[in-house]
Amino acid sequence: MKNKTHNLLVQYCKKCLMPTSRPRVQFDENGVCNACNFVEVKNKINWSKRENQLKEILNEIRSNDGSYDCIVPWSGGKDSSYVAYQLKFKYKMNPLLVTFAPLLPNEIGQKNKRKFIELGFDNITGQPNLKISKHLSKRFFIERGNPKTHWDAGVGCYPVQIAEKFNIRAIFYAEHAESEYGGRVISEEHTKMLKYEEVIEHVIEDHPSNWVDEVVTENDLQPYLYPEPEKISEKKIISYYYSFFERFDMYKNYLFIKENMEFNTVKNRTVGTFTNFDSLDDYVDDLYYYMQYIKFGFGRCVRDTSRFIQNGHLTRNKALNLAKKYDGEFPQKILPMILEYYDFDRKEFENIVDQHRNKEIWEYKEKNWSLIQKLY
């Protein structure tokens, strides 16, 4: 009887594979998630009209003296590189690429960054205090099961800090994740422009001032502090989502970047999924996506296949087969690196992982953990 009660708690989208356990996702009465429903919204958008809106914005902010006229928060990956490439070469802008350094950078990501910059871009990379970053990553992995909480804050804050410092009026992020992937969409305006309240609620989840402890002081928090809204308004800085102006498609972005530069990928596939071209710059990403599986019952493959389904690149049946093969795969290859980085032994690591299993979606029997409500 207990299992039947639990089974009602998790449903899977009838169109893609996303479960109701994804944070902030919403399902309609037909069992379809709001990310899939947003596809129908996108199908009705006049994208030519949206592009004209973009051109008007760009013409307004375009620099005439050689200074930077916009910022692209840039990881070196396919999506942010696609945005930067379009702004520079299609729309003749002069973007500054702003990067918040990954926790444990890997060679593939570093190579891709260099190759892209060689196309003719300037880049500023923010490297926060490594001691503090490592401490926060370990702390948030233990406390929240998310080793990248502070990094997410830095990615959201650092480009705005640079915009304020250099008096650059526009920032172009890639996609609005809440609408594209299923989340809480506050308003249509929020799908166009990044707002302060969304950064705090959806990205950081609390205020960095709460992170002060026996190691972290207020002085250590500067890389993670979002400028006050009054300062942003005073300098007329606006953060846009490029996905508002052009239909967003992660696979299309990859194919475009691959065609226009030497873009390195994982040899076969990335752990936990069937793709080999996404989230390539940080070894910690493998742990991050595994913990997503532990906390919410879906991993990297369900994430990727759902996005492929929504953009018409994959059928649900094929996606189910891929998820059955790869979703929730343990990141064995990077485990020694992770244990060394956090100074854990294997048992400590496993105990922390298990502490973050949601008991409403996991059960322990016959000395193994398994999902109560399986996708396949």
Side-chain angles (χ1 to χ4, degrees):
M1 187 69 182
K2 181 180 178 181
N3 284 357
K4 289 183 180 179
T5 302
H6 282 313
N7 287 349
L8 296 175
L9 294 175
V10 178
Q11 302 173 44
Y12 293 91
C13 178
K14 297 295 176 58
K15 288 189 175 181
C16 70
L17 306 185
M18 195 54 60
T20 51
S21 53
R22 174 185 168 87
R24 300 186 302 277
V25 74
Q26 299 173 20
F27 278 50
D28 66 16
E29 65 277 6
N30 297 314
V32 177
C33 75
N34 53 344
C36 286
N37 283 329
F38 187 65
V39 173
E40 302 305 316
V41 174
K42 292 198 294 184
N43 288 340
K44 297 175 183 178
I45 290 173
N46 185 330
W47 291 105
S48 296
K49 186 176 179 180
R50 287 283 181 90
E51 183 182 20
N52 288 334
Q53 292 182 41
L54 174 63
K55 289 177 179 177
E56 289 177 6
I57 292 170
L58 298 180
N59 288 334
E60 182 182 345
I61 65 173
R62 192 182 306 278
S63 168
N64 295 315
D65 60 4
S67 58
Y68 303 118
D69 42 34
C70 60
I71 282 174
V72 176
W74 180 69
S75 67
K78 65 197 184 319
D79 296 323
S80 55
S81 294
Y82 177 83
V83 173
Y85 193 100
Q86 296 300 315
L87 289 173
K88 184 175 183 69
F89 297 115
K90 181 177 181 179
Y91 297 110
K92 310 304 178 185
M93 301 297 288
N94 186 23
L96 172 65
L97 309 182
V98 176
T99 305
F100 197 72
L103 301 181
L104 285 175
N106 61 36
E107 292 182 7
I108 291 176
Q110 296 306 304
K111 286 179 180 178
N112 286 338
K113 286 176 182 175
R114 183 168 185 85
K115 289 295 181 181
F116 192 75
I117 290 173
E118 287 175 352
L119 296 179
F121 291 89
D122 292 340
N123 169 240
I124 292 178
T125 296
Q127 177 61 73
N129 183 319
L130 290 175
K131 175 185 175 182
I132 299 301
S133 178
K134 181 178 180 179
H135 172 80
L136 288 172
S137 183
K138 180 177 181 177
R139 173 180 161 183
F140 290 137
F141 172 55
I142 295 171
E143 292 180 359
R144 307 183 188 186
N146 181 359
K148 301 190 74 172
T149 295
H150 68 302
W151 183 87
D152 289 337
V155 168
C157 300
Y158 188 63
V160 185
Q161 293 177 0
I162 295 298
E164 183 186 8
K165 181 179 181 63
F166 285 88
N167 295 311
I168 302 173
R169 292 173 53 198
I171 303 171
F172 284 93
Y173 290 87
E175 78 272 40
H176 181 249
E178 294 296 306
S179 57
E180 291 287 339
Y181 308 133
R184 179 170 176 256
V185 180
I186 299 174
S187 71
E188 183 176 305
E189 187 179 37
H190 284 78
T191 68
K192 179 180 180 181
M193 293 179 283
L194 176 63
K195 303 288 187 176
Y196 175 77
E197 62 268 23
E198 196 166 34
V199 173
I200 297 299
E201 181 177 347
H202 295 166
V203 179
I204 306 175
E205 298 178 343
D206 67 5
H207 197 280
S209 60
N210 297 323
W211 303 350
V212 173
D213 59 18
E214 71 281 358
V215 174
V216 181
T217 69
E218 289 186 358
N219 292 338
D220 297 321
L221 297 175
Q222 182 57 38
Y224 312 105
L225 294 175
Y226 201 84
E228 292 299 323
E230 294 78 14
K231 290 186 178 180
I232 298 172
S233 178
E234 180 184 329
K235 294 208 170 183
K236 300 180 179 179
I237 299 170
I238 301 178
S239 297
Y240 296 98
Y241 291 109
Y242 193 83
S243 60
F244 181 83
F245 306 103
E246 180 181 323
R247 188 184 180 107
F248 193 83
D249 183 333
M250 62 175 285
Y251 186 54
K252 180 202 70 173
N253 294 347
Y254 161 64
L255 293 177
F256 180 91
I257 289 299
K258 181 182 178 182
E259 183 178 342
N260 285 279
M261 66 168 280
E262 183 184 327
F263 189 79
N264 297 275
T265 60
V266 176
K267 186 175 181 181
N268 294 313
R269 62 178 183 84
T270 309
V271 65
T273 190
F274 70 102
T275 65
N276 67 346
F277 57 79
D278 184 57
S279 294
L280 302 176
D281 64 323
D282 195 338
Y283 286 116
V284 176
D285 280 355
D286 288 350
L287 174 62
Y288 171 85
Y289 288 114
Y290 181 70
M291 292 306 296
Q292 175 183 279
Y293 176 68
I294 294 299
K295 294 195 298 180
F296 307 120
F298 74 98
R300 200 167 185 172
C301 194
V302 165
R303 163 191 179 268
D304 288 350
T305 52
S306 293
R307 297 178 184 185
F308 269 59
I309 291 170
Q310 289 152 10
N311 287 296
H313 304 304
L314 200 62
T315 65
R316 194 176 191 276
N317 283 338
K318 288 183 178 179
L320 278 169
N321 290 331
L322 290 169
K324 188 174 182 178
K325 275 186 177 181
Y326 304 126
D327 204 56
E329 183 179 13
F330 184 75
Q332 185 63 46
K333 185 176 180 180
I334 65 154
L335 182 60
M337 186 184 306
I338 293 297
L339 296 180
E340 180 180 358
Y341 183 61
Y342 295 128
D343 191 25
F344 289 144
D345 61 34
R346 178 70 182 258
K347 187 63 176 176
E348 286 178 296
F349 173 82
E350 290 175 350
N351 286 339
I352 292 167
V353 169
D354 288 341
Q355 286 172 12
H356 290 285
R357 290 185 190 271
N358 184 344
K359 301 308 187 295
E360 293 185 336
I361 61 176
W362 289 95
E363 62 181 350
Y364 189 76
K365 59 182 182 180
E366 299 178 359
K367 297 183 179 181
N368 284 301
W369 288 99
S370 62
L371 289 170
I372 296 170
Q373 181 68 50
K374 292 182 172 60
L375 172 62
Y376 37 81

